Amino acid sequence: MASDRVAVPSRTESPGWVEVVLRVLGTGLLGLWWSRPSAMRYRRRRRSECAGCAHRYHRVMRVLIVLVWLQMVGIVALLAYGARPPTCQPPSLSSYNGATRYVTPTHDWVIPVRQVITAGNSGLALAYGKALGGQFCDYVPNGTLLGRMKDGFARGGTTYGHTYLTSLEPQLVYSDMAPVMRHESRHTDQWALFTLLGGPVAFPLAYGVDDVFAPGPYNNFERDAGLADGGYVLPDTPSPTTTRLIVAGALFAIFFFERHRVRRQVRLAKLLVHRLRIAEPPWWYAHTEPVTPGPAIGVVRRVSPAVADAMTEHRRLQQLGCPDCGAIGY
């Protein structure tokens, strides 16, 4: 019995080990899970049977190549600019004990491990800071690359990997600097953990999503790093997280249950845009009846005839059927 599967023309694919390397470097331990032999065999079989699966595979590979390439650029920048940075010096007003602690390194195995894990993102931030004229030094108590800049960072400062970008002033003594750097060191731990689990973009994505629903001092990553150490004012108002989650859930539900109508309107809009680009009558004129403009379109025509014509075309497009809940019948 002949097989009813449709053969999909195969592109030249990378060897299996290349895919494993890209997935691990691009998505961390999650990529290692995706690189299980059974999972790779399943995806290879799907690509041979499904053209869409093959296209998605190549898109994913291109994204992973870009991610890994950026990490390599960051590592090169880190080796070029931050391999042997000068040690951050304490301000002149520091006490003897404060100045000593300012330049005394901490012997903790966690510091070099997280520096290796976050090397790519740290190097990209270092190159970015150098491009903006930043001055960098090594804050040896926690192994953070401290970059002082005029601007180009968020809030009082921003940590990328183990690179901390902040302002030129003020120069803080150790007793004032220690809480801030302790806060940023915890952010470095978060960068390292998420990079190890999900790749170099895992932490910024997680932080961004969390900040949408829990902004500022309500952000769970900031709370984990210590609000007081980071200079945040402790909030005394209810968190907006619940309200935002309810709104997001309602929008998702509307989109999910009305996705067929949304898809149909998007297709109609694409047809309308295509209609405006061509001179000859479109194909749907043979399947629809002319539309008599209503009063609203007449009012719009006085202001913009082009918009009125587009509204008329859209009303005519509405006559097309929707036999499979969203697809336009031809």
Side-chain angles (χ1 to χ4, degrees), residues 13-254:
E13 294 189 359
S14 303
W17 66 268
V18 174
E19 179 181 350
V20 173
V21 171
L22 289 176
R23 288 187 180 276
V24 172
L25 294 180
T27 55
L29 293 180
L30 184 61
L32 191 62
W33 171 258
W34 282 338
S35 300
R36 304 183 325 274
S38 59
M40 294 189 68
R41 285 195 301 269
Y42 172 77
R43 289 195 299 270
R44 192 176 298 113
R45 184 173 66 253
R46 290 289 296 162
R47 291 196 299 272
S48 66
E49 302 170 354
C50 166
C53 300
H55 294 323
R56 284 192 295 272
Y57 166 79
H58 287 97
R59 284 197 296 267
V60 169
M61 288 298 103
R62 285 193 289 268
V63 171
L64 291 176
I65 289 172
V66 171
L67 281 178
V68 174
W69 181 81
L70 287 174
Q71 292 299 294
M72 295 299 104
V73 171
I75 292 173
V76 171
L78 186 64
L79 293 175
Y81 298 120
R84 292 183 178 179
T87 301
C88 297
Q89 298 300 313
S92 57
L93 298 177
S94 301
S95 64
Y96 175 78
N97 289 335
T100 302
R101 298 179 69 181
Y102 207 101
V103 296
T104 302
T106 301
H107 300 288
D108 188 349
W109 64 270
V110 173
I111 293 177
V113 169
R114 71 185 188 185
Q115 286 176 338
V116 171
I117 295 175
T118 62
N121 290 321
S122 302
L124 291 175
L126 177 60
Y128 165 76
K130 283 287 188 180
L132 295 182
Q135 303 171 7
F136 286 84
C137 61
D138 183 12
Y139 184 76
V140 293
N142 62 13
T144 298
L145 276 175
L146 179 61
R148 299 189 179 277
M149 308 162 56
K150 292 182 179 180
D151 51 27
F153 49 87
R155 299 170 182 166
T158 308
T159 293
Y160 302 93
H162 63 271
T163 300
Y164 177 49
L165 306 180
T166 187
S167 61
L168 292 168
E169 299 293 342
Q171 294 283 343
L172 301 177
V173 297
Y174 181 79
S175 59
D176 296 328
M177 190 70 167
V180 176
M181 297 309 294
R182 183 166 57 244
H183 177 91
E184 302 306 330
S185 180
R186 289 170 182 163
H187 280 321
T188 300
D189 292 337
Q190 295 166 355
W191 270 97
L193 176 61
F194 276 77
T195 301
L196 181 64
L197 294 178
V201 298
F203 177 70
L205 285 177
Y207 186 98
V209 171
D210 191 66
D211 205 55
V212 168
F213 296 102
Y218 300 102
N219 186 289
N220 291 285
F221 293 102
E222 296 295 346
R223 287 174 173 264
D224 178 70
L227 294 180
D229 289 346
Y232 287 90
V233 177
L234 299 178
D236 55 0
T237 56
S239 171
T241 303
T242 303
T243 303
R244 295 189 179 190
L245 284 174
I246 292 174
V247 172
L251 292 175
F252 175 79
I254 292 173

Side-chain angles (χ1 to χ4, degrees), residues 192-326:
L193 176 61
F194 276 77
T195 301
L196 181 64
L197 294 178
V201 298
F203 177 70
L205 285 177
Y207 186 98
V209 171
D210 191 66
D211 205 55
V212 168
F213 296 102
Y218 300 102
N219 186 289
N220 291 285
F221 293 102
E222 296 295 346
R223 287 174 173 264
D224 178 70
L227 294 180
D229 289 346
Y232 287 90
V233 177
L234 299 178
D236 55 0
T237 56
S239 171
T241 303
T242 303
T243 303
R244 295 189 179 190
L245 284 174
I246 292 174
V247 172
L251 292 175
F252 175 79
I254 292 173
F255 179 80
F256 180 79
F257 290 109
E258 298 294 330
R259 63 188 183 279
H260 302 303
R261 295 185 181 181
V262 172
R263 188 187 307 125
R264 182 170 187 268
Q265 293 302 321
V266 170
R267 290 191 176 188
L268 292 178
K270 289 181 179 179
L271 288 175
L272 182 58
V273 171
H274 180 68
R275 166 71 181 94
L276 298 176
R277 293 178 178 177
I278 59 178
E280 64 273 9
W283 60 264
W284 65 80
Y285 272 33
H287 307 280
T288 58
E289 298 294 333
V291 173
T292 302
I297 295 180
V299 172
V300 173
R301 187 175 297 278
R302 296 179 182 179
V303 180
S304 175
V307 174
D309 291 340
M311 293 174 63
T312 304
E313 291 286 350
H314 187 265
R315 286 188 58 188
R316 186 165 184 171
L317 278 168
Q318 297 290 340
Q319 299 176 24
L320 294 174
C322 180
D324 57 348
C325 296

